[in-house]
Amino acid sequence: MAVFKAPTRDIKFVINDVLDFPAHYAKLPCGEDATPDMIDAILTECAKFCEEVLSPLNQVGDQQGCQFDNGKVTTPDGFKEAYQQWIDGGWQGLSHPVEYGGQGLPLSLGLLKSELVGTANWAWGMYPGLSLGAMNTLYVHGTDEQKDRYLPKLTTGEWTGTMCLTESHCGSDLGQMRTRAEPNDDGSFAITGTKIFISAGEHDLTDNIVHIVLARTPDAPEGTKGISLFIVPKFHVDENGEMGEFNNVSCGSIEHKMGIHGNATAVINFDGAKGYMLGPKNEGLACMFTFMNTARVGTAVQGLAAAELAYQNSYPYAMDRYSMRSLSGHKNPDKPADAIIHHPDVRRMILTQKAFAEGGRAMLYDAARQGDIMMFAETEEERENADNQLGFVTPILKAFLTETGLECANYGMQVYGGHGYIAEHGMEQIVRDARIATLYEGTTGIQAMDLLGRKVILDGLKLYRSFSKRMYGYGLSILFKPGLSKYGRKLLSHTFRWNRLCVGLLLRASRNRDAVGAGSYDFLMISGYVTMAYFWARMAETAQKKLSENPSDRAFYEAKLETAEFFFERLLPRAIGHAEAMRGSVGSMMDMSLENFEIR
Ligand SMILES: Cc1cc2nc3c(=O)[nH]c(=O)nc-3n(C[C@H](O)[C@H](O)[C@H](O)COP(=O)(O)OP(=O)(O)OC[C@H]3O[C@@H](n4cnc5c(N)ncnc54)[C@H](O)[C@@H]3O)c2cc1C
């Protein structure tokens, strides 16, 4: 079974030393309670819950899966009890408004909680995780009456929420969606249709489930401009927020799938269920983006979680598995062979996991910091700037961190050799669980198109320039610093190449629209590597400074510097390969006629 230990020292390094959360929180209206002592206490308690309660249920959840019987779903043994402990601990409302029963702490502290929960047991974490998206959507787009009715019980965790977009014929292209919303006399709507693949769509953890559903009113225009958003509870909720009669929302079945067996992926049937419009009519997709963006950053956490869990379980195995002798001389002369950690190829895999996990963590916590700024900005300019930075980085986080997370999960299996393929060790479960992350919440292909098509080309490079300014500025600032100048040079040269690709693509796209789609995946990966390089350079600078101030914690800071070196020497050069591929002709991808694809 894969074991989990909360990486609290590493999280503290990122939030306190690299990103200076204490100074950041001091500027937030809700930040006065987020003192270092409070953060320490949250980390300690959350780590305990995740290590002792959730992690042991990870393999149980995988082996038992959810059971479906006549519309009811039973979660694996222990899931329900763990969820009750979650409610009792007040974890769900940590970063949500006090007026609805939350603790009002900054949004970014919620990420810390999501990382630990998700690494310990991703399938379990999806139940409260989807609820967070529902809560945010209600909070941003709901009327006061809607918020008062639904938010208190979602905030305590007594109810959970879902996101209902996908139908059998469309997932990426929601313009094709068919679920209907017919107006009732009382101002509500009768929702009819079937949604598929709904995570946490049905379960036995709570009495009620609040579905956030996309549907079309009868007079709605075709395509994405005719979609509205609705709150559809499984059981009616009265004006005091209390649960009433059944609302014709039923679970038709759950999917048999590759991984995340402990989370129910449900077919949900709405048979004239009463729904309440959330946000303006026909602007449902825009409102749902509040949910989807929460879910996209949440899914990026899944990539980090896979890399971290795979690393945590690869490294001890590699220390303890003996195979052949190291080419540079015996390392364990008292043993019949040397530990595999001494073989460069095994180190390559383990250092890749470490570099992607720690680099991904810095990227995510910085995005969470931008989220706090956006939420509590004092000026419109400040809010807009944070919104832009977050909007630009979201597809990079979602796609790059899930792709690299999956690579790290695969390396976890590889480090174990044949034993990695055997269920008992839990390494193959990490791969199966991580595989979905590049698919749901918008596939890697869809994120890549969002980044290059919408956020770079259609925007005329404005967002791109404001985002890449940070890399240029920082690269220049360390260009002459001893030990860091090599990172400054590399960061600058990769950022220049990235910039040239953008400008080149603008020109190519004006001649051939397929140039955007043909280059989008490589562009996204380059964006991920350059962004991560920026954070690795910053972590190296911090580690260097700390090492000179605090030699008592040498091993920790030295490891940071060594991992930074590995990232810049061995992983960042991959961006050059992606750039070369991007410059390839569009015809090499698009000229083949459909009949030449035929199997002969
Ligand atoms: C376990 C699981 C949980 C899920 N949870 C939820 C949930 O809670 N709520 C929910 O609503 N949905 C959920 N989904 C659905 C999920 O979000 C979709 O499956 C996903 O968005 C892809 O949609 P699709 O399956 O229809 O694939 P399609 O849209 O048919 O895509 C097929 C392929 O074509 C590519 N493609 C499509 N259009 C383009 C384009 N324009 N340019 C380039 N490439 C393109 C895609 O990248 C993909 O590779 C879940 C799915 C699974 C399997």
Side-chain angles (χ1 to χ4, degrees):
M1 184 177 103
V3 290
F4 166 68
K5 182 177 173 302
T8 45
R9 177 73 186 86
D10 212 71
I11 293 175
K12 283 194 221 168
F13 171 72
V14 171
I15 63 177
N16 293 334
D17 303 336
V18 182
L19 301 175
D20 199 359
F21 271 30
H24 162 66
Y25 287 153
K27 291 191 217 137
L28 298 181
C30 67
E32 61 189 22
D33 291 336
T35 58
D37 285 349
M38 168 64 111
I39 298 171
D40 264 6
I42 291 173
L43 251 178
T44 307
E45 281 310 305
C46 193
K48 197 162 158 236
F49 176 68
C50 294
E51 289 170 0
E52 293 174 10
V53 179
L54 294 185
S55 175
L57 295 176
N58 197 28
Q59 198 176 36
V60 177
D62 183 57
Q63 288 170 351
Q64 287 186 6
C66 291
Q67 307 301 321
F68 176 78
D69 183 22
N70 200 20
K72 291 205 171 353
V73 171
T74 312
T75 53
D77 288 349
F79 270 42
K80 198 170 168 161
E81 292 74 15
Y83 190 79
Q84 190 55 49
Q85 278 185 256
W86 177 258
I87 297 180
D88 296 343
W91 289 109
Q92 186 68 11
L94 189 79
S95 305
H96 283 80
V98 174
E99 59 187 306
Y100 299 112
Q103 294 172 46
L105 287 164
L107 220 63
S108 51
L109 275 182
L111 182 72
L112 185 153
K113 174 187 81 172
S114 303
E115 180 195 333
L116 297 187
V117 169
T119 315
N121 188 335
W122 185 262
W124 186 93
M126 286 175 74
Y127 294 101
L130 264 298
S131 279
L132 288 179
M135 285 153 69
N136 289 349
T137 313
L138 275 161
Y139 189 69
V140 175
H141 302 290
T143 60
D144 287 344
E145 194 272 331
Q146 288 171 335
K147 290 185 209 178
D148 290 344
R149 201 176 275 229
Y150 298 100
L151 276 176
K153 287 210 164 52
L154 284 168
T155 305
T156 56
E158 285 164 88
W159 298 344
T160 59
T162 74
M163 174 177 76
C164 294
L165 288 74
T166 305
E167 298 181 8
S168 59
H169 60 290
C170 67
S172 308
D173 182 7
L174 293 169
Q176 295 185 54
M177 213 206 63
R178 292 184 195 134
T179 297
R180 294 193 321 275
E182 309 271 349
N184 293 323
D185 293 340
D186 62 359
S188 68
F189 290 79
I191 309 290
T192 305
T194 296
K195 298 284 180 182
I196 68 160
F197 295 166
I198 304 309
S199 296
E202 180 59 45
H203 56 74
D204 57 356
L205 305 183
T206 58
D207 295 334
N208 206 1
I209 301 177
V210 180
H211 300 282
I212 306 291
V213 185
L214 287 179
R216 286 181 187 286
T217 53
D219 55 348
E222 293 280 295
T224 51
K225 293 200 169 74
I227 298 176
S228 301
L229 193 56
F230 298 88
I231 308 165
V232 192
K234 177 174 152 191
F235 288 92
H236 289 290
V237 176
D238 69 18
E239 61 278 12
N240 300 318
E242 295 303 328
M243 213 176 95
E245 296 292 300
F246 180 60
N247 186 24
N248 292 335
V249 181
S250 58
C251 175
S253 62
I254 57 173
E255 306 295 343
H256 299 279
K257 55 191 194 291
M258 180 177 180
I260 53 164
H261 293 158
N263 194 271
T265 306
V267 172
I268 301 291
N269 296 315
F270 298 92
D271 297 307
K274 252 192 187 184
Y276 306 89
M277 198 176 275
L278 180 58
K281 189 174 168 183
N282 293 335
E283 289 181 28
L285 204 55
C287 297
M288 196 59 142
F289 259 98
T290 306
F291 204 140
M292 291 196 275
N293 282 333
T294 310
R296 283 174 180 182
V297 175
T299 311
V301 176
Q302 189 178 5
L304 158 61
E308 175 69 33
L309 194 60
Y311 171 69
Q312 288 197 9
N313 288 275
S314 298
Y315 144 74
Y317 187 82
M319 295 284 283
D320 223 26
R321 175 83 182 168
Y322 298 90
S323 173
M324 299 195 227
R325 288 293 177 193
S326 157
L327 292 179
S328 54
H330 292 195
K331 301 295 187 300
N332 301 106
D334 53 329
K335 302 272 182 193
D338 289 330
I340 61 173
I341 190 112
H342 297 297
H343 299 309
D345 190 57
V346 174
R347 283 192 170 228
R348 171 185 66 80
M349 294 188 276
I350 295 179
L351 276 165
T352 301
Q353 294 169 330
K354 187 167 164 58
F356 280 142
E358 293 171 18
R361 179 170 295 121
M363 285 166 72
L364 270 162
Y365 282 84
D366 183 69
R369 196 181 59 88
Q370 301 282 1
D372 287 338
I373 297 173
M374 196 177 88
M375 202 81 166
F376 300 105
E378 280 174 8
T379 64
E380 184 50 27
E381 191 189 344
E382 195 186 10
R383 195 202 65 77
E384 205 179 302
N385 185 39
D387 191 16
N388 285 342
Q389 299 285 318
L390 197 56
F392 191 86
V393 85
T394 296
I396 302 176
L397 294 173
K398 186 338 182 141
F400 182 72
L401 296 187
T402 59
E403 291 286 341
T404 53
L406 184 59
E407 178 185 343
C408 295
N410 266 316
Y411 285 154
M413 249 172 90
Q414 199 71 16
V415 167
Y416 276 62
H419 300 273
Y421 197 68
I422 306 301
E424 174 191 346
H425 299 286
M427 300 312 283
E428 55 84 50
Q429 185 193 340
I430 304 177
V431 178
R432 287 187 290 102
D433 286 354
R435 185 63 190 88
I436 185 61
T438 70
L439 296 166
Y440 57 16
E441 303 317 333
T443 59
T444 299
I446 295 298
Q447 302 301 331
M449 284 297 284
D450 178 45
L451 178 69
L452 184 58
R454 208 159 71 85
K455 290 175 176 156
V456 174
I457 308 266
L458 285 181
D459 180 67
L461 307 193
K462 287 198 295 291
L463 271 180
Y464 165 77
R465 289 208 172 102
S466 100
F467 187 78
S468 60
K469 212 161 72 185
R470 269 177 111 183
M471 280 90 202
Y472 281 121
Y474 184 70
L476 284 172
S477 77
I478 57 168
L479 200 51
F480 299 105
K481 289 196 175 165
L484 298 171
S485 60
K486 58 187 173 183
Y487 301 147
R489 270 198 312 278
K490 286 189 179 176
L491 183 58
L492 285 175
S493 75
H494 278 272
T495 312
F496 276 129
R497 185 179 301 104
W498 191 29
N499 188 39
R500 277 202 309 275
L501 285 168
C502 283
V503 176
L505 220 101
L506 259 186
L507 295 172
R508 282 177 103 179
S510 63
R511 292 194 297 268
N512 181 352
R513 286 295 170 94
D514 274 337
V516 180
S520 56
Y521 166 76
D522 290 301
F523 182 81
L524 186 134
M525 295 307 283
I526 294 166
S527 310
Y529 284 113
V530 178
T531 309
M532 196 176 269
Y534 163 72
F535 284 103
W536 264 118
R538 284 186 61 182
M539 287 195 282
E541 183 181 24
T542 309
Q544 200 190 53
K545 186 161 160 268
K546 289 279 168 188
L547 207 50
S548 64
E549 287 169 0
N550 181 13
S552 63
D553 211 358
R554 280 203 93 75
F556 180 83
Y557 298 119
E558 278 171 5
K560 283 282 168 238
L561 288 171
E562 287 155 354
T563 315
E565 182 74 2
F566 175 81
F567 179 83
F568 275 92
E569 288 288 313
R570 297 271 167 178
L571 296 178
L572 185 59
R574 293 180 183 185
I576 300 171
H578 284 293
E580 265 304 291
M582 242 186 109
R583 288 196 198 93
S585 73
V586 179
S588 63
M589 205 177 270
M590 300 308 289
D591 284 354
M592 189 185 280
S593 70
L594 292 187
E595 64 190 33
N596 283 357
F597 278 98
E598 262 175 37
I599 299 152
R600 296 192 168 90

